[in-house]
Amino acid sequence: MDQCTDKLIQNLNFYTSLQAEEIQRIVAETAIKTLKKGSLLLREGQISQVCYYVFKGCVREYYLVDGEEKTSEFYLEGDSISDDLSKIERRPSRKYWECLEDTTLSVFTQAQEEKMYRLFPSIESLCRIETEKKLGQFRELMAFYLASSPEERYLNLLQTRPNLVNRVPQYQLASYLGIKPESLSRIRGRIHASRAQR
């Protein structure tokens, strides 16, 4: 867990100008857990009261639509996970968060978060910056998704998140791209053939 603690300290130092004693207080308040592959962090219908930060592993976010799993996101090392609407408005979540690998993450409850905000106002600023950053990235991704072809989405994924392709099952990757697994197989085949001819 020492590596996780070091990573947490690095992140706090990067985003804020906290004093060493403040950082140690935050580290002491932060629980770090390792969960087995297949563990669920959140189920549909639950009210989310916890946010996570992934140190190691992969978490998939998905929805159930007419009994079919629709993958909406993958969280890897360095990503934070939070269902803000559920947490703030006390609304039952529609999401599932599933560990696709053995995953080590920090666990921060809403009560801990509010306590940290009172003690260290700069932490609230950090979280606001991160939320705004994620919102901006989400808007850009949605705009690209709506204006692009499945092949363009896959090529973009290869460029921006190459390590994801070999870490998640193809049918989940296809769902994330909004296509069927057989369509993804054809796209991969075309790309492989095109690169082999160069």
Side-chain angles (χ1 to χ4, degrees), residues 33-37 54-59 99-105:
K33 294 183 179 179
T34 297
L35 300 174
K36 293 292 187 183
K37 176 180 177 179
V54 181
F55 290 108
K56 185 175 185 294
C58 178
V59 176
C99 296
L100 296 184
E101 303 169 352
D102 291 350
T103 301
T104 301
L105 29 71

Side-chain angles (χ1 to χ4, degrees), residues 95-185:
K95 304 175 181 179
Y96 290 82
W97 291 331
E98 175 194 18
C99 296
L100 296 184
E101 303 169 352
D102 291 350
T103 301
T104 301
L105 29 71
S106 66
V107 183
F108 220 61
T109 67
Q110 186 174 5
Q112 287 174 307
E113 196 175 323
E114 290 169 354
K115 179 180 177 182
M116 288 297 103
Y117 289 167
R118 289 193 302 271
L119 291 172
F120 312 117
S122 54
I123 290 295
E124 187 168 11
S125 174
L126 162 66
C127 293
R128 179 182 53 77
I129 291 168
E130 276 297 291
T131 300
E132 290 173 353
K133 177 182 167 186
K134 286 177 69 175
L135 180 59
Q137 291 171 340
F138 176 75
R139 285 176 173 162
E140 283 190 7
L141 184 62
M142 284 303 298
F144 174 78
Y145 186 92
L146 292 171
S148 61
S149 68
E151 187 161 333
E152 287 170 334
R153 287 178 219 147
Y154 181 67
L155 287 169
N156 181 67
L157 191 70
L158 288 177
Q159 183 179 0
T160 59
R161 306 178 78 182
N163 59 342
L164 186 62
V165 176
N166 297 319
R167 291 179 67 175
V168 304
Q170 181 167 305
Y171 75 94
Q172 293 177 356
L173 198 63
S175 174
Y176 177 65
L177 295 170
I179 57 177
K180 297 295 184 184
E182 52 270 26
S183 298
L184 178 56
S185 292

Side-chain angles (χ1 to χ4, degrees), residues 1 4 11 25 48 53 69 100 104-105 155 162-163 178 194:
M1 295 300 178
C4 296
N11 289 343
R25 176 73 180 274
S48 178
Y53 178 88
E69 295 179 3
L100 296 184
T104 301
L105 29 71
L155 287 169
N163 59 342
S194 174

Side-chain angles (χ1 to χ4, degrees), residues 50-65:
V50 180
C51 58
Y52 302 94
Y53 178 88
V54 181
F55 290 108
K56 185 175 185 294
C58 178
V59 176
R60 175 174 72 115
E61 177 181 279
Y62 68 92
Y63 296 80
L64 278 181
V65 180

Side-chain angles (χ1 to χ4, degrees), residues 73-107:
E73 188 56 277
F74 296 100
Y75 300 98
L76 302 176
E77 291 83 2
D79 290 332
S80 56
I81 311 172
S82 179
D83 187 340
D84 294 326
L85 280 178
S86 177
K87 185 173 61 174
I88 294 168
E89 298 184 2
R90 309 292 297 165
R91 178 191 300 181
S93 180
R94 294 185 56 232
K95 304 175 181 179
Y96 290 82
W97 291 331
E98 175 194 18
C99 296
L100 296 184
E101 303 169 352
D102 291 350
T103 301
T104 301
L105 29 71
S106 66
V107 183

